[in-house]
Amino acid sequence: MSVVITLIYVVLGFIYSAVYFSLYTLIIRYFDTTQPVGTENWITWGIFIGVAALVASVIEKLLTIFDLREHESLLDTDPVTGVIEILTQAVPAFFRGTLWAGGILIINGIAGALLPDLNIVRDIASGLGLPL
């Protein structure tokens, strides 16, 4: 079960690394006076960060059904408590995804220094439709 959860956060880390790479290009463009900086993409970045963490927390919560060692009963709480638990699990999911994203960005930087044509995070960001 922990392997599945780790894979969820690796995927979340890849999504976050693409979002942070896209934010990095905006920050670099901020200091360029010839290109204007657009602020219309903040909603897109926020949706990618928030929805990805929420989906990871929902999947993690649903995996408790299949975990026989889990002592928490998913069905004896009211729906409001279940929604609150899922939303509160999204906060640690954000931080776990950010930690994975930091590691992925470091590995991507090292790979980019060794092989200049290789930039996996840029390819993921362009695949997700994020601005570069």
Side-chain angles (χ1 to χ4, degrees), residues 2 8 10 14 17 21 25 31-32 43 53 58 64 67 70-71 78 85 88 91 104 107-108 114 116-117 124 126:
S2 65
I8 290 170
V10 168
F14 274 110
S17 64
F21 185 80
T25 58
F31 296 106
D32 188 8
I43 294 173
V58 167
T64 59
D67 193 8
E70 184 69 36
H71 299 291
D78 60 311
E85 287 176 354
T88 56
V91 175
I104 290 169
I107 291 171
N108 186 55
L114 297 175
D117 295 335
I124 292 172
S126 64

Side-chain angles (χ1 to χ4, degrees), residues 107-122:
I107 291 171
N108 186 55
I110 292 170
L114 297 175
L115 302 167
D117 295 335
L118 182 69
N119 194 340
I120 297 171
V121 175
R122 183 189 61 220

Side-chain angles (χ1 to χ4, degrees), residues 8-30:
I8 290 170
Y9 288 116
V10 168
V11 171
L12 189 67
F14 274 110
I15 292 171
Y16 281 2
S17 64
V19 170
Y20 296 151
F21 185 80
S22 180
L23 279 168
Y24 172 74
T25 58
L26 176 82
I27 291 170
I28 292 299
R29 253 190 295 158
Y30 177 77

Side-chain angles (χ1 to χ4, degrees), residues 86-99:
I86 289 172
L87 290 176
T88 56
Q89 285 179 351
V91 175
F94 166 74
F95 288 112
R96 289 179 192 145
T98 300
L99 288 174

Side-chain angles (χ1 to χ4, degrees), residues 61 64-65 70-82 85:
K61 189 68 172 173
T64 59
I65 295 172
E70 184 69 36
H71 299 291
E72 174 186 3
S73 178
L74 199 64
L75 303 174
D76 66 349
T77 59
D78 60 311
V80 175
T81 306
E85 287 176 354

